[in-house]
Amino acid sequence: MPGHQKARDDETDSRSEEKRALDDIFSLVYEELRRLASFVRKNEVSATLNSTALVHEAWLKLKDSPHLASTSIPHFKAIAAKAMRQILVDEARRRNARKRGGDGEAVFVTLGDSVEEISSCFEEVTDLDVALDELARRNPRQAQMVENRFFGGLSVAETAELLGVSESAIERDWRAARAWLNSKIRPAKE
């Protein structure tokens, strides 16, 4: 029995170290994620989640995955971006279900060249989610790049490194994906 107890203790120590490492990596990117979340949320005056709450909700989704601690910072931010996208889409769907009908006022998701140019509303977030899912079926790399840049705030260089392509490829993909997404989202609103 003592050998089994030692193995369990070692496993517990290993999990504790992984959780501490995950806490450390989250602490390193926390302010950047919060800043990004504030840009994504800036035009949502009726939002139930503020930027801090959005980042904290993402943390709650990630905290039980200590293996993420061994990932690079850009990779971790990409995973956090996916979590924030899921949270925003879930929130938008809940709001749309309650709202039904709305005031007809259109606010558009803007996929600008910089994160600071992002604006959104609940309907647009769900439209973007559907369009991103379709883009993922057509061009998975472009969809991942948009998610990393739009929801994760990754730079062109970080995205290129994460996806293993050149920065110029990311810039081309960014332009092409934005144009394609706008063509899918805008007709529904006009």
Side-chain angles (χ1 to χ4, degrees):
M1 291 292 177
H4 291 292
Q5 183 62 38
K6 172 134 176 56
R8 275 190 295 234
D9 290 346
D10 289 346
E11 188 177 320
T12 301
D13 289 345
S14 176
R15 274 194 235 134
S16 294
E17 286 175 25
E18 287 176 330
K19 285 189 179 236
R20 276 193 299 276
L22 184 59
D23 286 345
D24 291 345
I25 196 171
F26 187 77
S27 295
L28 286 172
V29 299
Y30 176 81
E31 283 304 317
E32 190 173 349
L33 290 174
R34 205 170 77 63
R35 180 186 59 79
L36 173 69
S38 73
F39 288 126
V40 172
R41 309 299 294 164
K42 72 180 174 184
N43 291 329
E44 276 304 322
V45 293
S46 63
T48 55
L49 282 176
N50 64 28
S51 57
T52 301
L54 177 58
V55 174
H56 289 188
E57 288 290 323
W59 169 245
L60 291 174
K61 282 178 119 10
L62 301 174
K63 75 177 181 68
D64 293 327
S65 302
H67 65 279
L68 295 177
S70 62
T71 64
S72 68
I73 297 287
H75 188 75
F76 182 81
K77 287 186 337 189
I79 293 167
K82 184 173 267 319
M84 290 194 301
R85 173 185 173 192
Q86 291 168 346
I87 292 162
L88 287 171
V89 169
D90 289 347
E91 178 188 9
R93 287 183 178 141
R94 279 192 301 275
R95 296 272 303 192
N96 285 339
R98 283 192 301 249
K99 194 172 169 180
R100 299 265 193 250
D103 57 8
E105 188 176 328
V107 180
F108 296 107
V109 171
T110 304
L111 296 171
D113 286 328
S114 70
V115 174
E116 288 77 12
E117 296 176 31
I118 295 169
S119 66
S120 65
C121 76
F122 292 113
E123 293 82 7
E124 294 295 326
V125 168
T126 56
D127 290 346
L128 176 60
D129 183 58
V130 168
L132 271 174
D133 286 345
E134 186 177 338
L135 180 59
R137 287 187 296 276
R138 297 171 55 92
N139 190 322
R141 186 180 83 196
Q142 282 185 0
Q144 187 177 7
M145 179 266 314
V146 170
E147 186 174 72
N148 293 342
R149 299 226 40 232
F150 184 79
F151 291 100
L154 271 65
S155 68
V156 169
E158 289 173 320
T159 304
E161 178 185 337
L162 185 65
L163 298 179
V165 297
S166 69
E167 290 182 29
S168 60
I170 293 299
E171 289 168 352
R172 278 190 309 276
D173 281 355
W174 182 241
R175 285 189 301 272
R178 283 182 20 226
W180 188 87
L181 287 167
N182 279 324
S183 76
K184 290 296 183 184
I185 294 171
R186 297 290 184 237
K189 297 298 175 190
E190 293 176 352

